[in-house]
């Protein structure tokens, strides 16, 4: 795809190659990724905090579950889920809300750049960072914790974790458009930390009060965790770790996807309402 610039003077007409829609999306991803990496407290924190949590809660535990799963592997799944889900919520929540607060979203609306290209940049940025988180945690678990999986299981676990970027981005967008821009970070923390705690990402649900287990049954993070545990753990160990009977995988998938659809619709309605308000 080539765009032509108007030419009013002597000399050849210069052409600017955009690479078409895919080229623009790739450029948007690269731009967002560079912006994230230029913010050390965000990029380093996104990867470092899950590593620190795993080093604190996973590596010291040498126990084995009744079915033979090491607690270090179970904690790897839990902390990886925490890291990737939090990344999705904060990239799409706090970051997009910041763009709204700075007027960047309004500026983009006045340009030929389509909203889907802007969102593709956010998605690509989050996917790359999610891969970094999962890879770093997996290397730490394998080399420092002695966690052993076959290549297929490592890849399946990684793919499951990276899918959380898409599954939980609607929650981030809902926060970005329903909360005030300056309050989005606080709202994201107030929502995500209880979700992670009540879903057993920090401590097994069996070690928490029964009321937490009851609440967990209706949380999307809990159901995502159940999907992730089942990738690398037998059902018996998942039941022991989660203190709940296993269910068919499709039930957990419906819960997670249902939340994504409802929250995505809420974010879309809020974004359209804001656009109408700006035009009106």
């Amino acid at each position: 795809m080539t765009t032509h610039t108007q030419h009013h003077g002597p000399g050849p007409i210069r052409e600017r190659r955009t690479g078409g829609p895919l080229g623009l999306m790739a450029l948007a991803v690269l731009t967002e990724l560079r912006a994230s990496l230029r913010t050390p407290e965000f990029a380093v924190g996104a990867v470092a905090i899950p590593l620190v949590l795993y080093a604190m809660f996973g590596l010291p535990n040498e126990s084995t579950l009744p079915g033979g799963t090491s607690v270090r592997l179970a904690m790897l799944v839990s902390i990886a889920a925490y890291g990737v889900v939090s990344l999705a919520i904060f990239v799409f929540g706090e970051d997009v809300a910041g763009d709204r607060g700075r007027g960047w979203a309004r500026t983009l609306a006045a340009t030929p750049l389509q909203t889907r290209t802007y969102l593709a940049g956010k998605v690509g940025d989050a996917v790359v960072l999610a891969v970094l988180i999962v890879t770093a945690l997996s290397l730490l678990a394998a080399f420092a914790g002695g966690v052993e999986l076959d290549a297929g299981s490592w890849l399946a676990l990684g793919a499951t974790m990276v899918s959380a970027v898409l599954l939980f981005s609607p929650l981030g967008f809902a926060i970005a458009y329903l909360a005030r821009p300056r309050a989005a970070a606080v709202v994201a923390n107030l929502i995500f930390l209880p979700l992670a705690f009540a879903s057993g990402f920090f401590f097994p649900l069996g070690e928490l009060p029964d009321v937490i287990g009851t609440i967990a049954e209706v949380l999307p993070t809990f159901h995502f965790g159940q999907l992730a545990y089942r990738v690398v753990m037998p059902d018996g160990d998942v039941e022991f770790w989660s203190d709940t009977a296993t269910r068919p995988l499709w039930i957990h998938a419906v819960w997670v996807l249902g939340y994504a659809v409802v929250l995505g619709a809420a974010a879309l309605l809020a974004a359209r309402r804001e656009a109408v308000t700006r035009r009106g």
Side-chain angles (χ1 to χ4, degrees), residues 96 99-110 118 177 274 278:
V96 173
D99 287 346
R100 287 180 58 222
R102 292 188 294 270
W104 182 237
R106 181 179 302 178
T107 301
L108 287 178
Y118 166 74
Y177 282 101
E274 183 176 278
R278 285 201 306 262

Side-chain angles (χ1 to χ4, degrees), residues 169-187:
S169 60
L171 175 55
F173 280 125
I175 293 172
Y177 282 101
L178 294 175
R180 297 175 63 180
R182 292 185 178 180
V186 175
V187 172

Side-chain angles (χ1 to χ4, degrees), residues 142-243:
F143 290 102
V147 174
E148 295 183 357
L149 292 172
D150 58 69
S153 296
W154 281 118
L155 290 174
L157 179 61
T160 301
M161 289 301 165
V162 173
S163 72
V165 170
L166 300 178
L167 294 172
F168 288 92
S169 60
L171 175 55
F173 280 125
I175 293 172
Y177 282 101
L178 294 175
R180 297 175 63 180
R182 292 185 178 180
V186 175
V187 172
N189 276 297
L190 288 176
I191 291 175
F192 174 67
L193 291 178
L195 281 179
F197 179 79
S199 299
F201 288 172
F202 300 136
F203 301 99
L205 288 176
E207 299 179 4
L208 300 175
D210 291 341
V211 66
I212 300 298
T214 302
I215 294 172
E217 295 284 343
V218 297
L219 301 180
T221 39
F222 167 78
H223 290 282
F224 175 75
Q226 292 297 296
L227 292 171
Y229 292 130
R230 299 274 283 277
V231 172
V232 293
M233 295 167 58
D235 288 358
D237 281 351
V238 175
E239 291 184 0
F240 184 86
W241 183 256
S242 304
D243 195 33

Side-chain angles (χ1 to χ4, degrees), residues 85-101:
V85 173
S86 66
L87 175 72
I89 291 175
F90 285 99
V91 165
F92 295 99
E94 182 180 358
D95 204 17
V96 173
D99 287 346
R100 287 180 58 222

Side-chain angles (χ1 to χ4, degrees), residues 82-142:
Y82 159 81
V84 177
V85 173
S86 66
L87 175 72
I89 291 175
F90 285 99
V91 165
F92 295 99
E94 182 180 358
D95 204 17
V96 173
D99 287 346
R100 287 180 58 222
R102 292 188 294 270
W104 182 237
R106 181 179 302 178
T107 301
L108 287 178
T111 71
L113 185 68
Q114 296 182 342
T115 301
R116 66 185 180 187
T117 303
Y118 166 74
L119 296 181
K122 298 291 184 186
V123 172
D125 177 32
V127 166
V128 172
L129 292 175
V131 170
L132 290 177
I133 291 171
V134 175
T135 300
L137 281 171
S138 299
L139 291 174
L140 180 61

Side-chain angles (χ1 to χ4, degrees), residues 54 58-63 69-77 141 144-147:
Y54 185 71
L59 292 182
N61 199 323
E62 300 179 2
S63 303
T69 302
S70 70
V71 172
R72 288 173 173 172
L73 174 57
M75 285 302 299
L76 169 63
V77 179
V147 174

